[in-house]
């Protein structure tokens, strides 16, 4: 079992690299609000670093690592209980690779075929806007999917950092503005390109001439693309099968979590305290949705501590960061392996991200580990 | 027969729609595909995505602030149904704000962008449709609270909740589609036949859904405990299904507006039927963590309070008002007409609203009066007319009378004001009633006299139920019943007199305050008066101590020498008791006096005379006679 902290950091890092690329790509698109020429002019800064073997290799590595780690995370899921953002994240993340593949194949074929053609933004836009709108739709949806996936991931990571108080006011508007500006730039530059197509027949003819062999090549690779997509679908199916198998495996071993307020929840053996509580609609704070980052789901175990799994490195680190009292556990990391536990929630259910950023403000006087069990 | 012709025309049009829709539809789809696969299509899709992003961003920003309060509200456990309602409303406010922000931001952004022709309308319609769906979802989630029975705001069975939720969402989906889609197809796609078919399909689907819902949710009650106790009731699903079918048939054959009105009426009726349970649910005493349906006893507990009734009446009125508004919308009444109150239908609608308001007001007054009187009566309890006279007897006499009179006055007022509100002239009616009243008055002079005399008797508190009275004539008896015109007197021999107040005359009430009873005690002339007086006083004190007789006495028995007749000393005894007990006490007193006198060696005066015969100063002795 690899270290949870290592996996988490690896996923975060690869995601950040990918996000940097996407931000650059989209900022370049946003320049279309000015002119197509401006898009071309900024290319060396925003896109070209990823075009050389080092940048491209890093990008490809990060994409593979992020995808594999994401699939691993899905296969390691223990239950269906997840927040709405988690569902969005998961679905969009699964959709990204097959939607992106055409874009990657088409651009690499085109750039292999004629290095000059690919990087002329105007010509690419003309293809999208006039000759093959199908690819334009694909692009638009990929942009949306990748951006929402990335923005959700970035936000849920950043919002827990103490620095969020200072940078939040900038980051949040940027997260909103970048895709909107990119799409506006795409629309504006499209208008410009369409006008040029009308007024410049020679340019139009040039594009048509270049396009013919490329589209022929694309058609040839279509079956290969389909095979890749099919293979990906098979992998996803396998991952989901693994997840389902894990869920069904422990189905017949019910365990019980009692809360200090008299509420109680039934769940399967091997689920975390938080997951069992969520399944029974017990109000239990969980800002990071069970990733072990925020520490808001921490509980004090009053009875049955021996039923819980041992602490992992992630849990240790988070508990130390939020100044948890001795004996406290993270509800999302402590798996219930024995018959049952009695816990008390250390934070109220409405605890938000500030509880992770400024844990000292949220330590109540009863939070010293001296809590009495409820009668 | 014109409506038959209209219906025929309508079905013919539907058939024509069906016949021509596929071709038209195909043509439209082809045109759409062509325009989508061009710069125009790309621009439209780009703009749509921008709208989604803008709306989503604004809503996300909202939730970064609102999510923690929402979680806090969700985590709060309600202790009563009313608390749950307050919490639910606050959650609904948050949820709806998010939806409205999304819609508002998207539509505002749509106004700024320069759209290809026809797309903007479609986008706005889709935004609104989405809003309807999400609002329906929010409301259903807050009201039905699937999976969280402690937050549920309506008395429904837990097993029904997922299905009710699904039905609500499906109806919202289909209703939104029916509202927005056909118009779009007709205006943008220039495909009226397809729009017609779309309308037909949506209406049919909705009807089927509602029929299934009617039989699923309003069917026979569940087999709970004690099925033999529950009286069989007519299943409500049949009238509900009939109404749905009626609305559908009217839509199919007649005008859509009329069908809309029918559906609104059906909804208003259905709501009015469930409103009582829904409102009293919040006052039911059995509410604990949403244990399920409150029983009949719990609703009865709520029924005795005034506030639930006020809320119920207000909700009934609100439902009627909203229903009328919905009818106005279904009939496409122009807003200007609504505002100025012109147009016959609008005026009629406002009149109906006025009548409903009057009904609400009357109902409130009636409930206030009735519940006050009922509570008072319940506190006094039932009264036995032949038992002890009770100080509350007068209330018990007057309150039911007051209740009936209030009901009559309220009904008359309501009817007259309703007629007036609808616009029917009531002056002739009143005048007619006046003339009629005059005629009746002459004819029924005695009746009027009785009623008025009765009012004064009651106002002056001349008698109450349970009192023994004698009227000026020979009638006497215990008051058993008091009505507007007569009083029923039970004679102690059994007969029941019905005496009109008018002929009651002087009333002698034997049951008020106290009674003084006197009787004579003749004793021989040679007893010592002082001894006898003390003896009587002693008997009186003993009676005062007695457990049985003592409480009846107000003044103890006393006696004194009142007259001396030849050979007899007559002692006059008297005592004071509570009304109606004097006969029992007198019997007791005489019994005790007899015993006491016998113990003291004093006999009662007998009627025998003693004759002394004398001759020359010497008593004449007779052989065998006892010496004096």
């Amino acid at each position: 079992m690899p270290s949870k902290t290592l996996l988490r950091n690896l996923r975060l890092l690869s995601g950040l690299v990918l996000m940097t690329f996407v931000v650059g790509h989209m900022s370049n698109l946003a320049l279309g609000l000015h002119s197509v020429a401006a898009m071309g002019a900024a290319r060396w800064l925003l896109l070209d670093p990823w075009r050389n073997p080092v940048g491209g290799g890093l990008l490809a590595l990060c994409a593979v690592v992020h995808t594999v780690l994401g699939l691993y995370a899905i296969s390691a899921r223990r239950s269906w209980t997840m927040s709405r953002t988690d569902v969005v994240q998961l679905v969009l993340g699964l959709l990204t690779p097959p939607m992106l593949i055409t874009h990657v194949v088409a651009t690499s074929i085109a750039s292999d075929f004629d290095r000059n053609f690919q990087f002329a933004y105007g010509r690419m836009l003309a293809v999208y806007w006039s000759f093959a709108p199908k690819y334009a739709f694909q692009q638009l949806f990929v942009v949306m999917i990748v951006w929402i996936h990335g923005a959700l991931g970035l936000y849920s990571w950043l919002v827990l950092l103490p620095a969020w108080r200072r940078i939040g006011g900038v980051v949040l508007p940027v997260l909103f503005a970048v895709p909107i500006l990119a799409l506006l730039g795409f629309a504006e530059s499209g208008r410009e390109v369409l006008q040029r197509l009308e007024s410049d027949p020679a340019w139009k003819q040039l594009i048509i001439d270049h396009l013919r062999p490329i589209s022929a090549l694309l058609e040839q690779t279509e079956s290969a693309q389909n095979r890749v997509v099919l293979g990906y679908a098979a992998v996803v199916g396998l991952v989901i099968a693994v997840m389902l198998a894990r869920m069904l495996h422990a189905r017949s071993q019910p365990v019980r979590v009692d809360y200090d307020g008299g509420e109680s929840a039934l769940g399967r053996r091997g689920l975390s305290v938080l997951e069992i509580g969520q399944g029974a609609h017990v109000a239990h704070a969980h800002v990071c949705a069970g990733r072990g980052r925020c520490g808001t789901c921490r509980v004090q175990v009053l009875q049955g501590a021996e039923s819980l799994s041992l602490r992992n490195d992630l849990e240790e680190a988070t508990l130390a960061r939020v100044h948890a009292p001795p004996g406290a556990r993270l509800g999302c990391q402590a798996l219930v392996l024995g018959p049952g536990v009695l816990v008390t929630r250390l934070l109220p259910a409405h605890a938000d991200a500030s509880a992770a950023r400024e844990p000292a403000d949220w330590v109540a006087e009863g939070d010293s580990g001296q809590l009495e069990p409820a009668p | 027969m014109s409506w038959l012709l209209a219906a025929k025309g309508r079905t013919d049009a539907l058939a024509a729609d069906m016949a021509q829709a596929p071709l038209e539809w195909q043509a439209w789809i082809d045109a759409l595909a062509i325009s989508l696969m061009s710069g125009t299509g790309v621009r439209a899709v780009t703009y749509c995505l921008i709208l989604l992003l803008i709306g989503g961003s604004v809503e996300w920003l909202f939730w970064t602030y609102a999510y923690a309060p929402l979680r806090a509200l969700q985590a709060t456990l309600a202790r009563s149904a009313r608390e749950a309602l307050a919490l639910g409303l606050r959650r609904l406010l948050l949820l709806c704000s998010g939806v409205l922000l999304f819609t508002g931001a998207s539509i505002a952004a749509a106004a700024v962008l320069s759209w290809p022709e026809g797309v903007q309308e479609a986008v706005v319609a889709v935004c609104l449709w989405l809003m309807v769906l999400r609002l329906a979802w929010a409301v259903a989630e807050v009201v039905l609270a699937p999976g969280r029975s402690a937050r549920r705001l309506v008395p429904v069975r837990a097993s029904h909740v997922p299905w009710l939720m699904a039905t609500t969402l499906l109806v919202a989906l289909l209703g939104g589609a029916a509202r927005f889609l056909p118009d779009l197809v007709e205006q943008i796609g220039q495909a009226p036949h397809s729009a017609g078919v779309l309308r037909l399909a949506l209406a049919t689907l909705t009807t089927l859904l509602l029929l299934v819902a009617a039989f699923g949710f309003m069917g026979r009650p569940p087999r709970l405990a004690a099925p033999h106790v529950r009286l069989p009731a007519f299943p409500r699903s049949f009238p509900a299904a009939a109404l749905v079918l009626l609305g559908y048939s009217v839509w199919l054959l007649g005008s859509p507006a009329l069908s809309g009105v029918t559906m609104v009426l059906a909804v208003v009726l259905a709501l009015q039927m469930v409103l009582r349970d829904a409102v009293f649910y919040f006052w039911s005493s059995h509410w604990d963590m949403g244990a399920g349906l409150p029983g009949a006893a719990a609703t009865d507990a709520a029924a005795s309070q005034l506030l639930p009734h006020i809320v119920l009446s207000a909700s009934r009125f609100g439902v009627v008002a909203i229903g009328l508004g919905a009818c106005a919308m279904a009939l496409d009444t122009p807003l200007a007409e609504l505002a100025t109150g012109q147009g016959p239908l609008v005026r009629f609608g406002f009149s109906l609203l006025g009548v409903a308001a009057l009904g609400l007001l009357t109902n409130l007054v009636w409930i206030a009066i009735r519940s006050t009187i009922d509570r008072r009566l319940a506190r006094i309890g039932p009264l036995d007319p032949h038992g002890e006279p009770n100080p509350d007897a007068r209330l018990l006499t007057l309150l039911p009378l007051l209740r009936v009179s209030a009901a009559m006055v309220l009904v008359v007022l309501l009817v007259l004001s309703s007629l007036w509100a609808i616009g029917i002239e009531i002056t002739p009616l009143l005048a007619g009633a006046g003339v009629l009243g005059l005629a009746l008055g002459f004819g029924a002079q005695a009746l009027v006299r009785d009623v008025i005399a009765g009012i004064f008797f009651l106002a002056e508190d001349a008698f109450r139920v349970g009192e023994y009275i004698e009227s000026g004539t020979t009638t006497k008896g215990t008051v058993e019943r008091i009505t507007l015109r007569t009083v029923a007197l039970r004679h102690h021999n059994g007969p029941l007199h019905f005496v009109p107040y008018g002929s009651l005359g002087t009333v002698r009430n034997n049951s008020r305050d106290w009674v003084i009873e006197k009787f004579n005690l003749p004793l021989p002339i040679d007893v010592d008066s002082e001894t006898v007086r003390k003896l009587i006083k002693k008997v009186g004190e003993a009676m005062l101590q007695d457990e049985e007789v003592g409480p009846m006495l107000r003044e103890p028995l006393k006696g004194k020498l009142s007259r001396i007749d030849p050979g007899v000393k007559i002692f006059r005894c008297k005592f004071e008791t509570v009304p109606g007990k004097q006969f029992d006490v007198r019997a007791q007193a005489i019994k005790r006096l007899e015993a006491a006198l016998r113990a003291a060696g004093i006999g009662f005066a007998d009627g025998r005379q003693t004759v002394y015969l004398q001759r020359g100063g010497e008593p004449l002795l007779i052989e065998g006679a006892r010496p004096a």
Side-chain angles (χ1 to χ4, degrees):
Chain A
M1 183 66 83
S3 151
K4 279 204 160 191
T5 322
L6 179 72
L7 287 184
R8 191 191 73 175
N9 289 342
L10 215 55
R11 206 166 72 185
L12 183 63
L13 203 64
S14 57
L16 278 177
V17 172
L18 292 172
M19 198 63 181
T20 317
F21 166 72
V22 174
V23 169
H25 202 346
M26 290 176 84
S27 313
N28 207 348
L29 266 181
L31 285 176
L33 273 174
H34 184 268
S35 66
V36 177
M39 293 166 90
R43 202 187 59 208
W44 67 271
L45 175 67
L46 297 172
L47 271 188
D48 282 356
W50 306 103
R51 286 285 150 204
N52 58 51
V54 180
L58 181 66
L59 200 62
L61 182 70
C62 286
V64 169
V65 166
H66 200 75
T67 311
V68 168
L69 287 180
L71 288 175
Y72 171 73
I74 294 174
S75 75
R77 282 208 85 85
R78 291 175 299 257
S79 79
W80 287 114
T81 56
M82 41 183 155
S83 66
R84 243 175 260 181
T85 28
D86 265 8
V87 177
V88 174
Q89 276 281 69
L90 197 149
V91 171
L92 295 184
L94 283 179
L95 279 179
T96 309
M99 297 215 58
L100 212 51
I101 194 161
T102 322
H103 179 56
V104 174
V105 170
T107 45
S108 49
I109 284 177
S111 59
D112 284 350
F113 184 75
D114 180 351
R115 294 202 72 81
N116 290 328
F117 184 80
Q118 159 61 18
F119 297 114
Y121 245 113
R123 298 181 190 175
M124 205 64 204
L125 285 171
V127 173
Y128 284 153
W129 279 90
S130 177
F131 299 104
K134 189 180 92 178
Y135 293 117
F137 293 133
Q138 217 166 17
Q139 284 310 291
L140 286 171
F141 287 117
V142 166
V143 164
M144 284 284 285
I145 287 170
V146 167
W147 186 263
I148 293 175
H149 179 87
L152 281 179
L154 201 61
Y155 173 81
S156 53
W157 171 58
L158 283 177
V159 79
L160 300 176
L161 300 184
W164 179 255
R165 278 173 83 96
R166 275 172 283 124
I167 61 171
V170 181
V171 171
L172 207 57
V174 168
L175 282 183
F176 296 149
V178 166
I180 295 170
L181 289 178
L183 288 178
L184 281 174
F186 180 67
E188 275 310 298
S189 55
R191 193 182 304 212
E192 189 184 330
V193 164
L194 285 179
Q195 275 172 8
R196 187 170 173 196
L197 280 179
E198 292 276 315
S199 57
D200 192 351
W203 192 63
K204 187 175 183 180
Q205 193 54 48
L206 181 75
I207 294 172
I208 292 173
D209 290 344
H210 274 92
L211 212 52
R212 205 168 288 131
I214 292 178
S215 55
L217 259 178
L218 266 181
E219 267 166 31
Q220 283 170 21
T221 58
E222 201 162 303
S223 61
Q225 276 182 44
N226 286 343
R227 272 201 296 280
V228 172
V229 172
L230 267 181
Y232 175 77
V235 171
V236 170
L238 193 69
V239 163
I240 291 177
V242 169
M243 177 178 77
L244 287 179
R246 291 169 66 105
M247 286 184 190
L248 292 178
H249 177 62
R251 198 178 40 164
S252 56
Q253 295 163 291
V255 294
R256 180 187 178 90
V257 175
D258 289 301
Y259 285 84
D260 52 339
E263 291 170 277
S264 70
L266 280 180
R268 301 190 303 273
R269 183 180 174 277
L271 290 189
S272 68
V273 172
L274 178 68
E275 282 162 342
I276 293 174
Q278 294 285 96
H281 302 299
V282 175
H284 195 151
H286 57 292
V287 172
C288 68
R291 287 181 176 77
R293 281 188 201 150
C294 65
T296 50
C297 62
R298 58 181 181 269
V299 294
Q300 187 67 263
V301 184
L302 303 178
Q303 276 172 28
E306 66 284 354
S307 301
L308 297 176
S309 63
L310 296 176
R311 295 187 190 193
N312 56 39
D313 52 343
L314 185 66
E315 189 177 356
E316 295 281 4
T318 306
L319 284 174
R321 189 172 58 76
V322 298
H323 314 305
R329 299 295 308 262
L330 280 189
C332 62
Q333 300 298 318
L335 309 184
V336 185
L337 303 174
V341 286
L342 172 64
V343 299
T344 175
R345 287 154 284 188
L346 290 179
L347 285 187
H350 60 269
D352 56 8
S354 69
R357 292 197 296 267
E358 294 106 20
D361 297 354
W362 285 80
V363 176
E365 61 270 25
D367 201 3
S368 54
Q370 306 296 321
L371 280 169
E372 298 290 321
Chain B
M1 286 324 219
S2 63
W3 64 273
L4 262 183
L5 283 179
K8 172 108 175 60
R10 172 96 177 135
T11 38
D12 285 350
L14 277 179
D17 282 349
M18 296 272 237
Q20 294 177 33
L23 275 180
E24 196 188 66
W25 184 253
Q26 194 57 47
W28 189 52
I29 290 294
D30 288 346
L32 200 65
I34 288 170
S35 70
L36 195 65
M37 283 300 162
S38 71
T40 324
V42 175
R43 192 152 55 119
V45 172
T46 312
Y47 282 171
C48 284
L49 291 180
I50 290 174
L51 289 195
L52 264 183
L53 279 174
I54 289 177
S57 304
V58 171
E59 201 183 336
W60 189 0
L61 198 61
F62 168 73
W63 281 117
T64 56
Y65 295 103
Y67 192 61
L70 184 74
R71 292 272 308 163
L73 284 177
Q74 281 169 344
T76 313
L77 287 179
R79 282 188 302 276
S80 72
R82 266 163 294 164
E83 256 185 50
L85 177 68
L87 291 172
L89 285 180
R90 279 152 74 188
R91 269 187 299 131
L92 190 64
L93 187 69
L94 284 179
L95 291 171
C96 289
S97 305
V99 175
L100 291 179
L101 275 176
F102 179 91
T103 313
S106 304
I107 290 180
V112 175
L113 300 172
S114 52
W115 294 88
E117 195 172 341
V119 180
Q120 191 171 9
E121 290 86 342
V123 166
V124 171
V126 169
C127 279
L128 290 176
W129 187 16
L130 210 61
M131 181 185 76
V132 169
L133 260 185
R134 292 187 59 192
L135 285 182
W137 184 299
V139 170
E141 218 231 303
V142 167
V143 171
L144 295 172
R148 292 162 168 87
S149 54
R151 285 193 214 150
R152 201 156 293 147
L153 300 184
V154 280
V156 289
R157 283 198 291 284
S159 58
H160 277 174
V161 166
W163 298 106
L164 267 176
M165 184 95 183
T167 313
T168 315
L169 291 183
L170 271 177
V171 167
L173 185 78
L174 290 174
R179 171 72 185 77
F180 297 117
L181 274 191
D183 287 356
L184 276 185
V185 170
E186 198 161 358
Q187 283 169 18
I188 300 170
Q190 303 293 335
H193 295 299
S194 304
V197 172
L198 203 57
R199 282 197 187 98
L200 180 65
L202 288 172
T204 313
L205 272 179
T206 315
T207 307
L208 283 177
L209 189 68
L210 288 179
L211 279 182
V212 170
F215 282 107
F217 302 128
M218 303 176 96
R220 51 193 65 194
R223 253 173 280 165
L224 288 175
H228 52 281
V229 175
R230 187 190 287 273
L231 295 174
F234 187 74
R236 289 191 235 170
S237 50
F238 281 104
L243 267 179
V244 170
L245 279 180
L246 179 70
Y248 183 60
S249 330
V250 170
W251 181 83
L252 212 57
L253 299 176
S255 62
L258 208 58
S259 154
V261 172
T262 320
M263 290 320 274
V264 169
L265 278 184
V267 170
V268 167
L269 269 181
L271 279 180
Q272 297 284 13
M273 272 186 341
V274 299
L275 212 53
R276 187 185 157 89
D277 284 348
V279 168
F280 283 5
Y281 174 68
F282 292 108
W283 276 270
S284 60
S285 49
H286 283 215
W287 198 89
D288 51 342
M289 301 290 289
L293 297 176
T299 2
D300 284 351
S304 63
Q305 295 174 19
L306 187 55
L307 193 60
H309 285 286
I310 295 176
V311 174
L312 178 63
S313 306
S315 338
R316 285 201 194 287
F317 179 69
V319 167
V320 169
I322 292 172
L324 282 176
C327 280
M329 272 172 71
L331 292 172
D332 271 338
T333 317
L335 215 57
E337 249 182 48
L338 274 184
T340 53
Q342 286 165 347
L345 265 180
V346 174
R347 252 181 294 159
F348 184 66
F350 276 124
S351 310
L352 278 188
L353 212 56
V355 172
L358 278 174
L360 168 78
L361 204 67
T362 316
N363 192 22
L364 278 187
V365 174
W366 167 235
I367 286 165
I369 292 176
R370 196 193 58 187
S371 59
T372 317
I373 290 179
D374 282 357
R375 240 196 329 260
R376 199 65 199 265
L377 280 178
R379 209 161 52 212
I380 295 169
L383 191 74
D384 176 17
H386 300 290
E388 297 284 316
N390 191 313
D392 289 325
R394 186 170 179 227
L395 277 180
L396 212 60
T397 309
L398 283 179
L399 287 181
L401 264 183
L402 198 64
R403 195 169 51 183
V404 175
S405 325
M408 273 161 58
V409 170
L410 282 177
V411 166
V412 169
L413 277 182
L414 175 66
V415 168
L416 288 182
S417 344
S418 307
L419 289 177
W420 179 74
I422 293 176
I424 296 173
E425 201 64 49
I426 55 166
T427 326
L429 208 66
L430 284 181
V435 170
L436 199 71
L438 213 60
L440 276 177
F442 279 121
Q445 225 178 358
L447 186 81
V448 174
R449 199 183 61 199
D450 288 342
V451 171
I452 290 179
I455 290 173
F456 279 104
F457 271 124
L458 293 177
E460 287 161 4
D461 194 18
F463 45 81
R464 304 168 186 169
V465 170
E467 287 182 337
Y468 188 86
I469 62 168
E470 297 171 37
S471 88
T473 55
T474 53
T475 40
K476 54 178 141 183
T478 310
V479 178
E480 270 203 357
R481 208 162 58 228
I482 292 177
T483 63
L484 261 183
R485 195 184 72 86
T486 58
V487 55
L489 299 180
R490 174 75 68 181
H491 192 264
H492 43 261
N493 290 345
L496 191 62
H497 301 279
F498 288 91
V499 189
Y501 294 119
S503 50
L504 211 50
T506 318
V507 171
R508 176 176 165 177
N509 194 327
N510 290 321
S511 305
R512 283 294 162 84
D513 308 328
W514 77 88
V515 180
I516 291 178
E517 178 74 10
K518 295 174 180 171
F519 60 94
N520 289 341
L521 197 65
L523 293 180
I525 192 87
D526 52 355
V527 296
D528 179 28
S529 306
E530 194 53 27
T531 317
V532 171
R533 192 184 65 79
K534 284 182 178 161
L535 191 134
I536 294 174
K537 196 175 174 185
K538 216 144 109 197
V539 169
E541 275 161 11
M543 279 170 75
L544 210 56
Q545 301 300 325
D546 189 273
E547 273 184 18
E548 196 188 341
V549 192
M552 301 181 192
L553 280 167
R554 286 171 61 98
E555 290 283 329
L557 174 71
K558 280 174 188 164
K560 59 188 178 194
L561 182 63
S562 75
R563 214 166 73 223
I564 302 179
D565 279 355
V568 187
K569 274 185 175 172
I570 295 179
F571 288 83
R572 189 108 165 121
C573 302
K574 78 168 187 182
F575 57 87
E576 193 181 314
T577 67
V578 294
K581 297 297 175 197
Q582 63 268 42
F583 310 109
D584 298 348
V585 177
R586 190 173 66 188
Q588 261 303 319
I590 289 174
K591 191 177 125 195
R592 282 165 182 259
L593 276 176
E594 187 186 12
L597 286 171
R598 185 174 301 134
I602 302 171
F604 286 99
D606 46 18
R608 285 176 294 178
Q609 296 274 326
T610 310
V611 179
Y612 297 99
L613 297 177
Q614 234 175 343
R615 185 183 296 156
E618 288 284 319
L620 193 66
L621 291 175
I622 297 166
E623 270 307 302
R626 192 163 47 93

